[in-house]
Amino acid sequence: MKNVILMGIKHCGKTTQGRLLSAHYGCDFFDTDDLVVEMTGMTPREIYSDFGKEAFLKAESDACNVIAGRQGFFVVSTGGGICMNDKAVGYLRGVGTFVFLDSDETVACDRIIKEIKILPDGKMEGMPAYIARENPSNIDEVRRSFHSFYEERRAIYSSICDVTVKMLPLSKMENMARIIERIESL
């Protein structure tokens, strides 16, 4: 079995499932966003905000290159935007099976909304950059922005992945069992 590379929209369960899978298999677990922080001292959001898209793509690619050079079996949780980074995808393509965790749109959006802080002046913070740049003025506008983004990304993940696992309203362990069943049947 090849290494397992989890991908999907923010808050679809990549990190949670990645940790569970690595414990199940007794193998290493890598989170590309965590590795970016370890390698640069900055979060992906900080890199993107302070230095721009190209700097972030390079940092993410560098992290994926490091992971691709690792020996042994491992599980990787990728950042939600990896599908837009051909170089990063290329590094991981050679070492693993891409598993798209296809989350329900409402569930993913609700998790994003939970992180939003509405300031006394009515402005919102804590949104992903792709929503913030739309400058939504209320939660309904956040949901509309997310919907367009979700549909676009879902199509891209589907075109890149080797296997899709629909994340169901089940326990984390039940969803993990479904992922294992799919990847072990390849």
Side-chain angles (χ1 to χ4, degrees):
M1 188 166 78
K2 290 174 105 179
N3 299 310
V4 177
I5 315 296
L6 302 175
M7 63 188 312
I9 199 97
K10 181 178 179 70
H11 291 305
C12 71
K14 298 180 300 283
T15 299
T16 298
Q17 290 300 323
R19 287 187 176 122
L20 290 172
L21 289 167
S22 81
H24 172 81
Y25 288 114
C27 67
D28 288 333
F29 169 70
F30 301 101
D31 183 302
T32 59
D33 288 345
D34 290 347
L35 190 52
V36 165
V37 172
E38 186 180 314
M39 292 172 64
T40 67
M42 298 176 74
T43 67
R45 185 176 287 184
E46 289 169 336
I47 295 168
Y48 199 97
S49 295
D50 294 352
F51 300 104
K53 179 181 177 181
E54 293 307 314
F56 165 70
L57 292 174
K58 181 177 182 336
E60 185 176 53
S61 294
D62 291 347
C64 290
N65 189 30
V66 167
I67 292 168
R70 297 296 298 247
Q71 299 299 310
F73 181 72
F74 52 82
V75 175
V76 179
S77 169
T78 62
I82 195 151
C83 61
M84 305 305 286
N85 190 338
D86 292 340
K87 193 169 187 179
V89 169
Y91 286 134
L92 296 177
R93 172 70 62 206
V95 299
T97 299
F98 279 90
V99 179
F100 169 32
L101 301 185
D102 187 8
S103 175
D104 177 75
E105 179 180 351
T106 302
V107 170
C109 191
D110 287 349
R111 290 174 180 165
I112 287 170
I113 288 170
K114 266 176 91 170
E115 293 182 351
I116 295 174
K117 292 181 183 132
I118 300 177
L119 304 176
D121 64 1
K123 291 187 180 183
M124 295 185 285
E125 65 179 28
M127 296 174 280
Y130 60 87
I131 293 175
R133 75 173 154 252
E134 300 279 324
N135 202 23
S137 59
N138 58 53
I139 296 301
D140 286 340
E141 289 180 12
V142 169
R143 286 192 185 280
R144 278 193 293 279
S145 292
F146 181 77
H147 173 72
S148 299
F149 184 82
Y150 174 85
E151 290 297 322
E152 174 188 312
R153 285 286 173 92
R154 194 164 177 263
I156 297 169
Y157 298 132
S158 294
S159 72
I160 294 172
C161 73
D162 299 301
V163 63
T164 298
V165 178
K166 181 72 176 164
M167 300 304 289
L168 298 176
L170 303 170
S171 73
K172 294 171 187 175
M173 297 304 285
E174 289 170 311
N175 272 313
M176 180 191 70
R178 295 175 64 255
I179 295 168
I180 290 168
E181 182 181 332
R182 290 300 309 274
I183 59 179
E184 289 185 357
S185 69
L186 295 176

